[in-house]
Amino acid sequence: MYSSKYLELLIEELEKLPTIGAKSAQRLALHLLRAPREDALRLAEAIRALRERVGFCRVCGNFTEQDPCRLCSDPARESGVLCVVEQPGDVIALERTGSFKGRYHVLGGALSPLDGTTPEKLRIRELLERIRAGAEPGAAEVREVILATNPNVAGEATALYVHRLLTPLGIKVTRIARGVPMGSDLEYSDQVTLARALEGRREVE
Ligand SMILES: [Zn+2]
């Protein structure tokens, strides 16, 4: 179908990306052939650097090339408030609102036993360890945990589960308000909605 094996190969790879269908993959591949060589190679280099240099932050679980990450090592951020999210994309969304100045904890997903996402697969143990370490004398104590998992079935189940584990530790646990429409993803919520949801958080009973 294609005059070049390499063109076909690239189209195949592009098609594996989310939201890219067969037509888009073909359009992108042809674009990369016509674009200045340096531009195409810069894209290739950006992908290589991303995969070779970016790993996970030991503290919060977010993507980073320095460990601890920029957010965890920023002295201006309040270490007493921990915002628990599902994915690194949620941190980006919350940071875009500019209204949260605490720290994050990325779980790496949400509880969904049917898909095999059990508590052990999420960074829940790390969260508890982090809170316990904060309770040590001289350490920065965690006073509030904000559960900012997605407002869908898996996200709610995760919030409930984490809340139950945190209750015996005597920490204030809050859940972001319902400003974010039910069933939607935090990551794709607009900034104003997300900032409001964060502001309107309520203590979990
Ligand atoms: Zn971090």
Side-chain angles (χ1 to χ4, degrees):
M1 183 170 169
Y2 296 102
S3 55
S4 152
K5 177 181 75 176
Y6 297 108
L7 180 61
E8 195 177 334
L9 259 176
L10 179 61
I11 292 171
E12 256 177 51
E13 290 307 315
L14 289 169
E15 265 191 70
K16 293 179 190 164
L17 298 174
T19 77
I20 307 285
K23 270 192 186 161
S24 298
Q26 186 180 316
R27 197 176 308 137
L28 287 170
L30 290 172
H31 169 81
L32 287 167
L33 262 182
R34 284 190 216 107
R37 195 166 177 273
E38 312 80 68
D39 288 3
L41 293 181
R42 209 168 345 183
L43 174 65
E45 187 41 48
I47 295 172
R48 178 184 296 279
L50 183 80
R51 295 314 305 258
E52 282 178 355
R53 301 198 197 130
V54 180
F56 290 103
C57 171
R58 207 172 352 122
V59 182
C60 70
N62 203 349
F63 290 126
T64 181
E65 59 268 10
Q66 65 178 68
D67 192 13
C69 73
R70 263 187 262 173
L71 295 174
C72 284
S73 43
D74 181 355
R77 299 192 76 104
E78 222 212 308
S79 44
V81 185
L82 266 192
C83 185
V84 176
V85 297
E86 292 179 20
Q87 300 290 359
D90 301 328
V91 175
I92 299 172
L94 285 160
E95 277 303 288
R96 217 180 280 137
T97 68
S99 58
F100 182 65
K101 295 289 168 226
R103 313 238 174 199
Y104 293 97
H105 191 88
V106 182
L107 293 174
L111 286 179
S112 180
L114 289 179
D115 306 330
T117 312
T118 52
E120 305 76 54
K121 299 239 167 93
L122 303 176
R123 298 182 67 258
I124 293 176
R125 189 170 42 88
E126 285 87 343
L127 173 66
L128 295 176
E129 274 166 18
R130 207 173 157 186
I131 291 167
R132 284 201 195 101
E136 298 283 318
E141 196 186 358
V142 177
R143 297 185 319 277
E144 179 183 352
V145 170
I146 304 170
L147 299 171
T149 49
N150 286 324
N152 53 30
V153 176
E156 293 296 343
T158 310
L160 194 70
Y161 183 87
V162 173
H163 175 234
R164 247 187 246 140
L165 290 175
L166 295 180
T167 308
L169 303 178
I171 293 169
K172 182 178 174 187
V173 181
T174 55
R175 178 86 174 106
I176 51 163
R178 300 286 187 160
V180 182
M182 189 69 190
S184 69
D185 266 7
L186 226 63
E187 193 179 338
Y188 304 111
S189 297
D190 70 272
Q191 297 170 38
V192 178
T193 307
L194 206 47
R196 254 188 229 142
L198 200 57
E199 251 169 57
R201 65 185 187 268
R202 300 243 168 78
E203 198 155 347
V204 187
E205 300 300 330

